[in-house]
């Protein structure tokens, strides 16, 4: 039996529910989950001992919350064949913001063309910010060294919100090719930068996206979306995805880790 | 006995009261504008490195400085400016000479086609008229031409929409295409292309040429934008290098003298043009050289702040801070305001290789 530890913030939920749907396809895999509210997750530390445990700033109430969710307040990656750290920031909005301003290639009569050198520099800058947010240099070598899995791209339903957070997706809806090209470029550059540090970075399969760089609305978790239809500017929840989405991500990660495509 | 013509003149007319005894540049009447600048005005900026400060100061004072080719939101100033964004009202990079300025206007409105529009940069290509905006180059000559066509449209939009055009004269030295007279912003070979004495020739513009070039530019801009007015300055930044054969210090004084004299002629005969004395403020004897960094070339933050305080005070923009005379100030705290000055690349040639016009 091969042991897989999935841990992270609230996005772990989709993975856990997804695993319930597809576990039978990997009968030799035992997958366990550990999830924290993002506010608490950001104050947990993956230590050199491979324990994912709270810092001193995590309050007793928050520790109790972790126990209530998971049955324990800390977990270890030691003894696992694979670990996946789910829900990490990767700034897809940085790529979409470039697509707001122009296209990564000349198009007759169209918007400004962003030079490849400029795009590369801007995406490198975004990658720097992501690596800093991950505190990449402190992630222990393992084994296993966790796969860093980016949070889901906002669902297409976000375009119905007037919240500023979603402006890049609203503004690029008519420029899908640019959005997709820049999003893929960002993913690839970030993966390469992470790989140079010995880190494996992955995100949702891009076929879960629509043609303008938002996660297809069908993948959104039940209860998500606008939340309050009376408030068009509300942030809502366009971020948390459903079990089917989790299952797709699991299949992608297990596949790239050499666990096979599932029975 | 007739009274002296100096009798009754203002205090600012006399060195003792106008310089020795003044409390601050900003309050000394150093500059009296011909026309107002108001927050409602739309301002376009262009010129040498120093002109970037002018645009930033005006923007900070609440003036609407045009940016016709904005960088995407969220991109840092460093990355943006490294690629020609957020420097001037369009992404044309530094324009050091009035001849280059006039040439760009002719390209925008008069059908001018520059010679050697595309320079190779290794296996890639750059726009020879603004090689700094894509320092790594583009994949093909066609792509460069596509970008330039779009850029020219944005230049037209920026300049035609301006109530005020601010230009800082930077240099008199340039490299020119021998057959066509096309002026290049940088010497061939510095940021692309290859210097070929059979095709490229050094030219050091004189006063008459400088005046004529600016007037040509002004005429073209006024044809598109009749109400526009101009504010001109001379960059106080010395040349980084000269190809004139003279010592760089001698060449600097020659260049600045030509530009200053040209500005005087332009302003004297055109009510729609005003001159702002940034050159005089930074190089003033009363500054005792302290507005220059230890390399005696870069203008310090304090020098830039002083210039901009005078500008704001003169136009009543923002809360003008009285900047005391240099002697009363503590030593400069280092930290030069960052400008994008691609001609600093010429420092690579300091060991003696390659052609390169220096500038400010």
């Amino acid at each position: 039996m091969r042991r897989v530890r999935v841990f992270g913030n609230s996005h772990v939920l989709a993975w856990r529910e997804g695993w319930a749907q597809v576990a039978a396809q990997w009968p030799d895999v035992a997958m366990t989950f550990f999830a924290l509210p993002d506010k608490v997750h950001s104050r947990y530390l993956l230590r050199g001992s491979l324990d994912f445990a709270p810092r001193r700033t995590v309050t007793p109430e928050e520790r109790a919350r972790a126990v209530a969710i998971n049955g324990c307040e800390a977990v270890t990656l030691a003894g696992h064949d694979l670990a996946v750290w789910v829900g990490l920031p990767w700034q897809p909005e940085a790529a979409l913001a470039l697509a707001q301003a122009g296209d990564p290639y000349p198009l007759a009569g169209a918007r400004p063309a962003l030079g490849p050198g400029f795009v590369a520099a801007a995406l490198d800058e975004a990658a720097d910010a992501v690596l800093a947010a991950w505190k990449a240099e402190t992630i222990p070598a393992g084994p296993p060294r966790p796969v860093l899995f980016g949070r889901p791209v906002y669902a297409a339903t976000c375009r119905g919100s007037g919240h500023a957070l979603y402006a890049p997706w609203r503004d690029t809806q008519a420029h899908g090719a640019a959005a997709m090209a820049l999003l893929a470029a960002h993913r690839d550059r970030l993966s390469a930068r992470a790989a140079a540090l010995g880190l494996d970075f992955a995100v949702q399969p891009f076929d879960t996206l629509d043609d303008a760089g938002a996660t297809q609305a069908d993948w959104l978790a039940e209860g998500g979306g606008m939340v309050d239809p009376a408030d068009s500017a509300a942030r809502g929840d366009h971020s948390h995805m459903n079990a089917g989405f989790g299952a797709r991500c699991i299949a992608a990660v297990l596949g790239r880790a050499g666990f096979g495509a599932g029975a | 006995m007739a009274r002296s013509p100096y009798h009754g003149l203002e205090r600012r007319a006399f060195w003792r009261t106008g310089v020795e005894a003044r409390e601050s540049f900003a309050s000394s009447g150093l500059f009296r504008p011909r026309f107002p600048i108001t927050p409602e005005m739309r301002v376009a900026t262009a010129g040498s490195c120093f002109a970037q400060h002018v645009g930033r100061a005006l923007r900070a004072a609440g003036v609407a400085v045009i940016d016709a080719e904005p960088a995407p939101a969220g991109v840092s100033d460093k990355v943006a400016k490294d690629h020609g964004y957020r420097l001037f009202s369009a992404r044309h990079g530094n324009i050091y000479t009035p001849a280059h300025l006039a040439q760009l206007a002719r390209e925008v409105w008069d059908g001018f086609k520059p010679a050697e529009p595309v320079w190779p940069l290794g296996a890639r290509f750059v726009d020879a008229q603004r090689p700094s905006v894509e320092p790594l180059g583009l994949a093909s000559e066609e792509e460069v031409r596509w970008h330039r066509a779009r850029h020219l449209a944005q230049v037209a939009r920026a300049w035609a929409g301006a109530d005020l055009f601010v230009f800082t004269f930077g240099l008199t030295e340039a490299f020119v295409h021998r057959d066509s007279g096309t002026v290049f912003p940088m010497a061939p070979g510095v940021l692309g292309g290859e210097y070929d004495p059979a095709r490229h020739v050094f030219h050091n513009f004189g006063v008459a040429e400088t005046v004529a070039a600016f007037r040509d530019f002004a005429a073209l801009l006024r044809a598109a934008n009749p109400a526009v007015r101009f504010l001109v300055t001379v960059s106080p930044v010395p040349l980084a290098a000269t190809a004139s054969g003279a010592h760089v210090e001698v060449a600097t004084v020659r260049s600045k003298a030509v530009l200053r004299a040209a500005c005087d002629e332009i302003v004297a005969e055109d009510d729609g043009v005003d001159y702002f004395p940034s050159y005089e403020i930074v190089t003033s004897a009363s500054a005792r050289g302290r507005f220059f960094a230890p390399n005696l070339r870069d203008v310090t933050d304090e020098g830039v702040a002083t210039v901009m305080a005078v500008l704001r005070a003169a136009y009543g923009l923002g809360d003008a801070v009285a900047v005391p005379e240099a002697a009363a100030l503590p030593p400069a705290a280092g930290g030069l305001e960052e400008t994008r000055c691609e001609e600093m690349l010429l420092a690579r040639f300091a060991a003696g290789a390659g052609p390169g016009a220096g500038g400010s």
Side-chain angles (χ1 to χ4, degrees):
Chain A
M1 186 65 74
R2 290 186 284 187
R3 302 176 69 203
V4 177
R5 170 81 79 196
V6 176
F7 67 106
N9 56 21
S10 54
H11 295 292
V12 170
L13 180 62
W15 287 57
R16 193 178 67 185
E17 294 178 350
W19 182 242
Q21 293 182 354
V22 299
Q25 297 175 33
W26 286 274
D28 63 336
V29 172
M31 190 174 290
T32 55
F33 303 89
F34 183 82
L36 295 165
D38 198 52
K39 190 175 135 190
V40 181
H41 173 259
S42 64
R43 283 177 289 124
Y44 263 58
L45 180 68
L46 182 57
R47 303 177 192 280
S49 61
L50 299 182
D51 291 337
F52 185 62
R55 298 174 195 265
R56 280 180 295 185
T57 56
V58 178
T59 67
E61 293 76 17
E62 290 168 332
R63 291 168 190 257
R65 175 90 174 118
V67 172
I69 294 169
N70 301 287
C72 55
E73 72 169 33
V75 288
T76 185
L77 312 189
H80 290 75
D81 300 290
L82 176 66
V84 188
W85 197 343
V86 167
L88 295 183
W90 65 289
Q91 293 205 358
E93 53 272 20
L96 271 289
L98 293 179
Q100 281 179 293
D103 298 309
Y105 30 67
L107 292 173
R111 304 183 303 151
L114 305 173
F118 171 73
V119 169
L123 293 182
D124 273 343
E125 189 171 62
D128 285 342
V130 170
L131 293 170
W134 291 349
K135 297 180 176 63
E137 74 283 0
T138 69
I139 296 173
R145 196 169 210 191
V147 174
L148 307 177
F149 204 93
R151 70 164 172 79
V153 179
Y154 294 126
T157 51
C158 78
R159 298 191 185 107
S161 166
H163 195 282
L165 189 63
Y166 308 123
W169 280 270
R170 287 194 302 270
D171 294 349
T172 57
Q173 190 169 9
H175 309 289
M180 288 301 292
L182 288 163
L183 198 59
H186 177 48
R187 174 199 60 189
D188 294 345
R189 288 188 84 81
L190 187 52
S191 295
R193 294 285 300 278
L197 298 171
L199 296 165
D200 187 9
F201 170 67
V203 296
Q204 67 197 79
F206 265 29
D207 63 5
T208 59
L209 300 173
D210 67 14
D211 58 6
T215 301
Q216 295 159 16
D218 289 350
W219 298 117
L220 189 64
E222 189 177 349
M226 294 298 288
V227 180
D228 180 5
D231 183 359
S232 62
R235 177 171 175 168
D237 180 2
H238 307 277
S239 184
H240 289 96
M241 303 301 160
N242 60 26
F245 179 88
R248 290 295 315 278
C249 295
I250 288 169
V253 163
L254 294 184
R256 68 190 272 148
F259 283 53
Chain B
M1 180 175 162
R3 285 164 48 156
S4 160
Y6 295 95
H7 181 76
L9 292 182
E10 295 179 87
R11 290 166 61 83
R12 72 182 193 131
F14 300 93
W15 189 268
R16 186 175 61 79
T17 48
V19 178
E20 286 183 64
R22 71 180 160 199
E23 293 180 355
S24 76
F25 280 107
S27 64
S28 68
L30 195 69
F31 172 55
R32 289 182 176 167
R34 277 183 162 178
F35 42 77
I37 296 179
T38 64
E40 295 75 32
M41 293 174 73
R42 290 169 53 80
V43 177
T45 66
S48 67
C49 306
F50 196 78
Q52 298 168 25
H53 296 304
V54 178
R56 186 162 44 240
L58 290 174
R59 191 176 285 113
V63 173
V65 177
I66 295 168
D67 186 356
E69 294 183 278
V75 174
S76 72
D77 267 0
K78 179 179 185 326
V79 167
K81 290 178 178 179
D82 280 348
H83 295 82
Y85 294 104
R86 298 180 192 157
L87 298 176
F88 302 106
S89 292
R91 198 171 163 231
H92 44 57
N94 293 336
I95 297 176
Y96 292 109
T97 62
H100 185 212
L101 180 70
Q103 179 177 284
L104 180 54
R106 295 209 319 270
E107 193 179 356
V108 169
W109 285 303
D110 206 26
F112 175 79
K113 301 289 183 194
E116 298 185 15
V118 181
W119 278 343
L121 179 70
R124 300 177 73 84
F125 302 90
V126 295
D127 183 341
Q129 290 295 316
R130 50 173 194 153
S132 64
V133 303
E134 293 288 350
L136 298 179
L138 298 173
S140 68
E141 292 191 40
E142 291 68 31
E143 196 168 334
V144 172
R145 292 177 198 276
W146 189 96
H147 278 263
R148 181 148 195 87
R150 180 173 175 88
H151 165 64
L152 293 175
Q154 299 312 310
V155 172
R157 192 165 70 93
W159 291 0
D163 301 305
L164 179 72
F165 188 90
V166 180
F167 182 70
T168 297
F169 290 65
L171 279 180
T172 57
E173 297 188 12
F175 278 82
V176 175
H177 188 255
R178 193 181 286 276
D179 292 341
S180 68
T182 294
V183 180
F184 298 109
M186 296 292 293
V190 174
L191 288 172
E194 186 176 355
Y195 175 61
D196 177 359
R199 291 185 288 123
H200 307 124
V201 61
F202 171 77
H203 188 73
N204 205 356
F205 291 98
V207 174
E209 291 172 305
T210 302
V211 170
F214 187 83
R215 286 177 178 158
D216 286 349
F217 164 73
L220 283 165
L221 179 49
R222 281 172 169 147
N225 180 4
V228 70
R229 289 194 277 200
F230 301 86
L231 180 65
V232 297
T233 68
V234 172
S235 165
V237 181
L239 277 65
T242 179
S244 66
H247 186 284
V248 67
E249 198 163 32
V250 175
T252 292
V253 172
R254 185 267 181 202
S255 181
K256 301 301 178 183
V258 165
L259 296 175
R260 183 63 190 89
C263 284
D264 205 61
E265 279 195 32
I266 292 164
V267 171
E269 297 181 17
D270 190 333
D271 291 341
V273 185
D274 202 357
Y275 174 78
F276 177 73
S278 54
Y279 177 81
E280 286 82 347
I281 294 167
V282 172
T283 62
S284 170
S286 69
R288 295 173 169 81
R290 65 177 296 117
F291 290 156
F292 285 106
N295 67 2
L296 305 179
R297 181 171 182 273
D298 297 319
V299 177
T300 61
D301 290 352
E302 180 192 340
V304 171
T306 301
V307 171
M308 298 313 152
V310 175
L311 184 82
R312 288 196 304 271
Y315 289 110
L317 296 169
D319 296 325
V321 178
V323 179
E325 284 294 273
L329 290 169
L336 299 174
E337 186 71 42
E338 189 177 21
T339 56
R340 285 301 181 276
C341 202
E342 62 259 47
E343 55 95 23
M344 281 308 297
L345 290 166
L346 292 168
R348 295 180 188 170
F349 295 84
S360 48

